[in-house]
Amino acid sequence: MKLYYIPTTRAVRPRWLLEEMGIDYELITVSMEMSRQPEYRKLHPHGKVPVLVDEKATIFESAAICAYLADKYLEKGFAPAINSLARAYYYQWLFYASLTLEAPVEQYMFNVLPNLPEKLLPKTTQTKVSLEEAKQWFSRVCQPLNELLQDNDYLVENRFTAADIVTGGVLLWALKLGMLTEESPVKAYITKLSERPALKKADVDVYAKL
Ligand SMILES: N[C@@H](CCC(=O)N[C@@H](CS)C(=O)NCC(=O)O)C(=O)O
């Protein structure tokens, strides 16, 4: 199995899951030149990461890759049983992280890291939401997570799943960008997730160099 990856990006999420599961994989770091090649565009239509190539499957979108891997190795216990009630909440948080939680974090990143390399932040994707607006927006979308995490360590059935990885991947950015200044259940949750050995292996911190 091959994972196409760039450090600190959304590609950390499937790598983190692979490390949690103890599955062997080949890591391919994607350079700017490589991402522009027609061969790479066959793997990802926009030349982005992550991409997972596994036997006949070529999959892009970090949350989809995590969901695929958690199901492929269901016996490892990173996804609830199909058709269970827990499965519904698992989907909810996987999609919430990708569609709702991530948007203000990305906007905040555009503001605080305006000098991100073009590879990581194409100028065409930058918009005009201010730092303060992004922070307030983030605080609103954290609210349901704060309520849940007040009494739970993890998002689904109070056990660690791929939904925690995708959500944790977004919150890790927020933490590193300084968006989580005040103490909250969300901050405690991501601080604790950050200590997981599998995440430490998967996330090579190059933020300081940006
Ligand atoms: N929604 C996609 C987003 C993929 C994405 O934007 N990846 C970024 C890194 S976080 C990327 O490859 N950027 C490089 C580029 O745009 O050339 C996912 O979750 O996989």
Side-chain angles (χ1 to χ4, degrees):
M1 163 169 342
K2 289 182 184 170
L3 179 66
Y4 291 81
Y5 164 91
I6 299 175
T8 78
T9 67
R10 294 168 177 94
V12 167
R13 302 168 194 176
R15 188 178 181 194
W16 178 8
L17 180 55
L18 285 162
E19 292 290 343
E20 292 277 359
M21 294 195 298
I23 303 292
D24 282 339
Y25 60 96
E26 185 185 340
L27 194 68
I28 299 169
T29 301
V30 177
S31 64
M32 200 184 308
E33 296 84 82
M34 184 177 168
S35 71
R36 290 186 176 146
Q37 298 304 315
E39 288 76 50
Y40 191 73
R41 296 284 161 145
K42 285 183 199 154
L43 302 180
H44 195 301
H46 308 298
K48 292 178 184 277
V49 292
V51 172
L52 184 82
V53 178
D54 180 30
E55 296 171 21
K56 288 186 181 158
T58 299
I59 314 163
F60 53 84
E61 283 297 326
S62 54
I65 296 170
C66 289
Y68 165 80
L69 288 169
D71 280 357
K72 175 165 177 164
Y73 300 100
L74 202 59
E75 74 285 358
K76 301 262 182 192
F78 289 90
I82 292 166
N83 282 336
S84 62
L85 179 61
R87 185 78 175 191
Y89 293 117
Y90 170 74
Y91 285 136
Q92 173 186 290
W93 292 120
L94 276 177
F95 285 90
Y96 191 81
S98 310
L99 297 170
T100 306
L101 189 66
E102 192 175 85
V105 179
E106 196 175 44
Q107 292 300 323
Y108 191 90
M109 179 153 45
F110 294 165
N111 278 284
V112 293
L113 298 177
N115 298 324
L116 270 180
E118 172 71 10
K119 174 81 193 92
L120 295 181
L121 180 57
K123 295 274 179 285
T124 48
T125 64
Q126 296 187 39
T127 56
K128 295 263 182 292
V129 174
S130 74
L131 207 61
E132 199 41 47
E133 282 167 330
K135 213 167 171 185
Q136 283 172 13
W137 177 10
F138 178 63
S139 157
R140 285 197 301 277
V141 295
C142 276
Q143 199 46 41
L145 288 169
N146 273 322
E147 281 166 25
L148 179 71
L149 294 167
Q150 190 116 37
D151 307 312
N152 293 280
D153 290 335
Y154 303 108
L155 299 177
V156 184
E157 289 186 315
N158 213 12
R159 68 185 176 91
F160 185 80
T161 66
D164 294 293
I165 289 191
V166 178
T167 305
V170 176
L171 293 175
L172 192 65
W173 275 0
L175 186 71
K176 289 181 177 185
L177 289 165
M179 293 179 84
L180 285 164
T181 41
E182 279 151 41
E183 295 310 314
S184 67
V186 161
K187 186 173 180 183
Y189 167 74
I190 187 55
T191 304
K192 204 171 79 189
L193 291 187
S194 305
E195 292 307 313
R196 294 182 77 93
L199 175 56
K200 288 186 177 172
K201 270 188 166 176
D203 189 28
V204 180
D205 194 346
V206 296
Y207 280 73
K209 296 185 199 142
L210 295 175

